[in-house]
Structures are given as structure tokens and as C-alpha cells.
């Protein structure tokens, strides 16, 4: 039965401290714990713990734990709402994103069928489902980014005083479980990029079919804008996560290897003794002495001379104002500009000239996308050329493009 939202949020506001306490009890809570918490928050005239528990159950704020007696946990929608409000993001695996992409492909086929038969109502339903799924993927990608950055901040501060090995195991889990599979997923040769290209073409083609239906045409335009935002922000989320995780991953990996090597060395010294190091034969120093140190008088005189030193004002930092966000090249726009410029004698030089704001990674992605699209319509020159970019210098043979399908 539906719940009145106004009554629901009024009750949630009244018992917000209780809900917040329950939110951080990941393992659940017993009925006795729940009664004690309610009694601690209650005042004169408030209903008793039994009544409040019944209200929590009727509003679907809590539910029984399936494998325990008289134990409860917050329902999944309430946990998701509090996670969003408290910025306690949880990670979504790449396999879930792959399922989303499969659903998008099915919805694209449904939209194509509606376009072929010119069924406006069916196309509107497919567009609505596509838009919701695109936003779900975008929100999950953003949540992953925030969760990963939050975990990196915790590992850097190390308030829990974890050992180097424990911290490396956590960061290695993030790297291997989420970032590496996502890198493979968003690669230009993989299913995600091809599937989103197909969806973009479908939205463009079917938008022309229903161009005379003003409301439906606006929905097509809006859905294409959502798709473009998804591709741009998903790429940004991935690279931002990489920028946060990679330095910590590298440093913790080195520290972990150093600690392990030192541990093995100390174990060997404990078993065999210092003789195994061969220090006497290797260093051959029978005596030692200290030379060139300051006397107390000279050091005192030097410190007395700098006692009155006052540092000057440090020069202010100059902000460059540069935007580090990567420029995303929209495939449909790229193909349209290519078709207008054919034939092209040097594709890479053409990309550099026409997309000056794009980074080297996005230029290479576009270069690879075009080559994989029309491998039979390109020809490579004999001599290698150098292409000077702000981030790097590329060396390649010029690729001539005759046509674009």
C-alpha cells in the first residue's frame, strides 16, 4: 500500500538520530537494541517503543533479517537514500555496468522496431526506459568515483592505523576489482563504446522519423544529450579515479615490497646471525673517527648571528585558469565532419588541426575508432612523420582516408 510522502518524511525527521544510528550498524540490530535506542530518544508524550517499531515496519524503514530472530536492518531503499544524503557512496562492480549495457542494446532494438513501424507510443516508452537506464549508469559511475576517492582519503590519513600491507591490500582490491575492468570496458575496441555508438546512431535516425511529432522529437534530442553527458562524465570519473588511486597504489606497493624484503632479511639474520652479511670483509674498516663537525662555540656563534632574521613575504601563487577536463569527441559529429572533408591525406594531422582542445588520449581514441570502422578504406604512407602535441610527440605513418561509411 502506498505511503503518504509527507507523513513519511515527518516521521523520518522526528526519528532521524535513530535512523542515522541504525544506518551505521551494518551487521543489523536486535529488537532489544532498537527498544533501548527509542527509549533514549523519547520524551514525555511520545509513543512507546513497541508503537515506534510498528511504525518503522509499516513505513518500510526497517525489515527483519532473514537468518536471525528478533533482528532487523534498514531496507535497501532507505540505505540508498541515506547513502546519497551522507555521501556514503558504495561501489558498483563492472559486471553490473555490463548488464546495464546489455539492457541498453535491447532497448535500442525496441526503439528501432518502433521507428520502422512508426509507432510513436512504443518509441516514447523505449525512450523513457533508455533515459532512466542512462541516468542509472551515470549515477553509479559517479558513486564509484566518490567512493574510491573517499577510500583513498581514508587510506592516506590512516586514522585506523592500518599496516602498510593492509592498506596495500585495500588499494589493490580497488585497482583490480573496479578500475582495471572499467579501463577494459571503456576501451575504444570494446563492447561499451560500440554499443553507445549504435545507440547514438539509432537516436539520430529515429529522431528524423518522428521529426514531425514535436514532443517526441524533443525527447529524442534530450535523450541524445543524456547519452553525450554519460560518455563524457563516465570517462572523467574513470580518469579522476585513476589520478587519485595510481600514486597511492604505486607508493604502497613499493612500501609493501620493502617491508616484506626487510622482514625476510631480519628473519634470516635471526637464524644465521650478522656473519652472513660479511661486513668486515666488504667494508674493511678497522677503526673510525668523527671529523669536520662544529664545535659548541662555533655553532653557538652561528645561531646567534641568525637570531634576528625575519623572512620576507612569499610571492602569491598564480592560478593558470586552465581546465584539465578532457575534451570528448562526439562520434556522430566526427563522422559528419570527416565526410565533409574527404578525401583526407593525413588523418592524424587532420584530427590535431580540427580538435585542438582534445587531449592525446581522446585523439588516439578517435583515430582508432575511424580505422576500425573503415579498415578497407584507408591507405598508409611510406615514411614515418612526427606529430608534436602538448603532452607528447607521436610517430606514425600518415593514414589516407578515402571514404567513411
Amino acid at each position: 500500500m502506498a505511503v503518504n510522502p509527507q507523513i513519511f518524511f515527518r516521521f523520518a525527521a522526528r526519528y532521524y538520530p535513530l535512523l542515522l544510528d541504525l544506518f551505521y550498524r551494518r551487521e543489523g540490530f536486535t529488537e532489544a537494541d532498537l527498544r533501548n535506542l527509542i527509549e533514549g530518544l523519547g520524551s514525555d508524550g511520545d509513543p512507546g517503543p513497541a508503537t515506534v517499531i510498528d511504525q518503522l515496519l509499516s513505513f518500510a524503514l526497517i525489515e527483519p533479517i532473514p537468518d536471525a530472530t528478533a533482528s532487523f536492518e534498514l531496507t535497501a531503499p532507505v540505505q540508498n537514500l541515506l547513502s546519497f544524503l551522507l555521501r556514503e557512496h558504495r561501489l558498483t562492480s563492472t559486471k553490473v555496468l555490463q548488464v546495464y549495457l546489455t539492457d541498453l542494446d535491447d532497448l535500442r532494438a525496441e526503439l528501432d522496431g518502433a521507428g520502422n513501424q512508426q509507432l510513436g507510443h512504443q518509441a516514447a516508452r523505449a525512450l523513457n526506459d533508455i533515459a532512466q537506464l542512462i541516468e542509472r549508469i551515470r549515477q553509479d559511475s559517479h558513486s564509484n568515483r566518490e567512493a574510491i576517492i573517499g577510500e583513498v582519503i581514508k587510506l592516506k590519513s590512516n586514522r585506523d592505523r592500518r599496516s602498510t600491507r593492509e592498506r596495500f591490500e585495500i588499494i589493490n582490491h580497488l585497482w583490480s576489482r573496479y578500475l582495471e575492468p572499467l579501463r577494459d570496458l571503456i576501451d575504444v575496441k570494446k563492447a561499451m563504446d560500440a554499443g553507445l555508438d549504435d545507440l547514438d546512431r539509432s537516436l539520430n535516425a529515429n529522431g528524423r522519423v518522428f521529426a514531425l511529432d514535436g514532443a517526441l522529437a524533443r525527447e529524442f534530442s534530450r535523450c541524445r544529450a543524456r547519452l553525450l553527458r554519460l560518455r563524457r562524465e563516465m570517462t572523467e570519473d574513470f580518469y579522476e579515479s585513476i589520478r587519485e588511486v595510481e600514486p597511492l597504489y604505486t607508493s604502497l606497493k613499493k612500501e609493501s615490497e620493502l617491508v616484506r624484503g626487510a622482514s625476510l632479511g631480519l628473519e634470516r639474520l635471526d637464524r644465521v646471525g650478522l656473519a652472513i652479511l660479511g661486513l668486515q670483509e666488504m667494508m674493511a674498516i678497522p677503526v673510525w673517527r668523527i671529523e669536520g663537525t662544529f664545535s659548541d662555540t662555533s655553532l653557538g656563534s652561528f645561531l646567534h648571528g641568525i637570531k634576528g632574521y625575519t623572512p620576507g613575504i612569499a610571492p602569491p601563487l598564480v592560478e593558470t585558469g586552465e581546465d584539465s577536463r578532457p575534451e570528448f569527441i562526439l562520434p556522430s559529429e566526427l563522422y559528419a565532419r570527416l565526410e565533409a572533408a574527404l578525401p583526407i591525406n593525413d588523418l592524424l594531422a587532420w584530427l590535431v588541426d580540427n580538435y585542438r582542445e582534445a587531449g592525446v588520449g581522446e585523439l588516439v581514441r578517435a583515430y582508432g575508432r575511424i580505422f576500425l570502422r573503415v579498415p578497407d578504406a584507408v591507405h598508409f604512407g611510406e615514411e614515418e612523420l612526427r606529430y608534436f602535441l602538448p603532452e607528447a610527440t607521436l610517430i606514425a605513418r600518415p593514414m589516407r582516408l578515402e571514404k567513411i561509411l
Side-chain angles (χ1 to χ4, degrees):
M1 185 175 65
V3 177
N4 187 311
Q6 186 176 7
I7 299 175
F8 173 87
F9 284 109
R10 185 183 298 121
F11 178 82
R14 169 65 184 85
Y15 290 99
Y16 171 72
L18 172 64
L19 296 176
L20 185 62
D21 194 327
L22 300 180
F23 174 73
Y24 287 107
R25 296 174 182 245
R26 306 295 187 185
E27 71 282 356
F29 42 88
T30 65
E31 184 175 350
D33 294 334
L34 188 55
R35 287 177 176 272
N36 292 334
L37 291 172
I38 295 172
E39 290 174 354
L41 294 172
S43 58
D44 295 339
D46 285 346
T51 303
V52 175
I53 292 176
D54 290 339
Q55 290 176 315
L56 289 169
L57 289 169
S58 64
F59 284 124
L61 290 167
I62 63 173
E63 61 184 356
I65 297 177
D67 63 342
T69 304
S71 295
F72 301 91
E73 62 184 355
L74 291 179
T75 57
V78 176
Q79 290 186 25
N80 292 335
L81 176 61
L82 289 175
S83 296
F84 170 75
L85 296 175
L86 298 171
R87 297 297 185 266
E88 294 281 346
H89 300 284
R90 300 182 182 180
L91 290 163
T92 302
S93 71
T94 309
K95 292 184 179 180
V96 175
L97 297 179
Q98 289 174 329
V99 173
Y100 289 162
L101 294 173
T102 302
D103 289 344
L104 270 182
D105 190 59
D106 294 340
L107 290 171
R108 178 193 57 77
E110 182 179 337
L111 182 63
D112 288 340
N116 292 333
Q117 302 177 37
Q118 296 187 358
L119 300 176
H121 294 294
Q122 183 176 338
R125 287 195 299 270
L127 277 177
N128 181 61
D129 292 342
I130 289 172
Q132 292 183 8
L133 194 53
I134 285 175
E135 288 304 308
R136 190 180 307 165
I137 297 173
R138 188 174 72 89
Q139 291 299 329
D140 284 350
S141 173
H142 184 67
S143 296
N144 273 9
R145 167 183 171 176
E146 295 298 326
I148 289 173
I149 292 176
E151 193 65 39
V152 169
I153 292 174
K154 290 180 183 178
L155 291 175
K156 286 181 177 179
S157 62
N158 198 21
R159 293 181 179 178
D160 298 333
R161 298 188 180 277
R162 300 178 186 270
S163 66
T164 299
R165 182 175 180 179
E166 290 176 325
R167 295 163 67 202
F168 177 69
E169 287 176 353
I170 295 174
I171 203 71
N172 185 54
H173 173 72
L174 292 176
W175 184 271
S176 58
R177 170 75 173 171
Y178 298 101
L179 294 180
E180 278 296 333
L182 186 58
R183 186 202 300 271
D184 187 63
L185 185 64
I186 67 174
D187 188 272
V188 69
K189 298 181 181 179
K190 302 300 179 179
M192 173 182 167
D193 209 64
L196 296 183
D197 281 349
D198 291 340
L199 179 59
D200 182 61
R201 284 193 293 270
S202 176
L203 291 172
N204 197 11
N206 290 298
R208 291 194 295 268
V209 173
F210 297 101
L212 297 180
D213 188 336
L216 192 55
R218 285 193 297 272
E219 290 301 320
F220 272 100
S221 176
R222 186 172 300 165
C223 196
R224 288 193 68 200
R226 291 183 187 276
L227 179 61
L228 174 60
R229 182 174 64 177
L230 168 68
R231 303 182 77 157
R232 181 180 65 247
E233 294 189 6
M234 197 169 180
T235 303
E236 290 176 1
D237 290 340
F238 170 72
Y239 285 113
E240 182 66 23
S241 300
I242 285 289
R243 280 194 292 268
E244 291 291 336
V245 171
E246 192 169 22
L248 184 61
Y249 174 84
T250 303
S251 63
L252 287 179
K253 183 178 181 181
K254 290 181 179 178
E255 289 181 20
S256 179
E257 293 173 348
L258 179 62
V259 170
R260 178 171 175 77
S263 177
L264 294 174
L266 291 174
E267 288 180 4
R268 187 177 182 188
L269 287 177
D270 185 59
R271 292 195 308 267
V272 183
L274 289 174
I276 191 65
L277 298 179
L279 295 178
Q280 294 182 355
E281 295 80 0
M282 183 169 50
M283 301 180 69
I285 300 179
V287 295
W288 63 278
R289 60 183 178 271
I290 299 176
E291 293 182 353
T293 59
F294 282 111
S295 66
D296 293 341
T297 304
S298 301
L299 184 59
S301 176
F302 175 75
L303 294 176
H304 180 75
I306 65 172
K307 181 178 181 181
Y309 172 73
T310 302
I313 300 175
L317 297 176
V318 179
E319 296 184 359
T320 61
E322 295 180 354
D323 189 1
S324 61
R325 295 177 59 188
E327 177 70 18
F328 183 79
I329 300 176
L330 184 63
S332 57
E333 177 194 351
L334 173 63
Y335 299 147
R337 294 178 67 175
L338 280 172
E339 189 171 2
L342 290 176
I344 298 174
N345 293 326
D346 191 339
L347 177 61
L348 187 54
W350 184 89
L351 288 171
V352 172
D353 290 338
N354 286 270
Y355 293 96
R356 297 182 181 276
E357 299 299 325
V360 62
E362 191 60 29
L363 290 174
V364 174
R365 281 170 59 88
Y367 187 85
R369 179 183 288 113
I370 297 167
F371 174 74
L372 293 175
R373 181 183 175 91
V374 287
D376 298 331
V378 298
H379 304 281
F380 290 93
E382 296 292 336
E383 298 182 359
E384 292 184 342
L385 299 180
R386 293 180 178 270
Y387 302 86
F388 298 97
L389 302 176
E391 304 97 328
T393 298
L394 303 181
I395 301 175
R397 290 187 296 165
M399 184 171 77
R400 175 178 172 82
L401 182 64
E402 301 286 349
K403 61 181 179 178
I404 185 77
L405 300 179

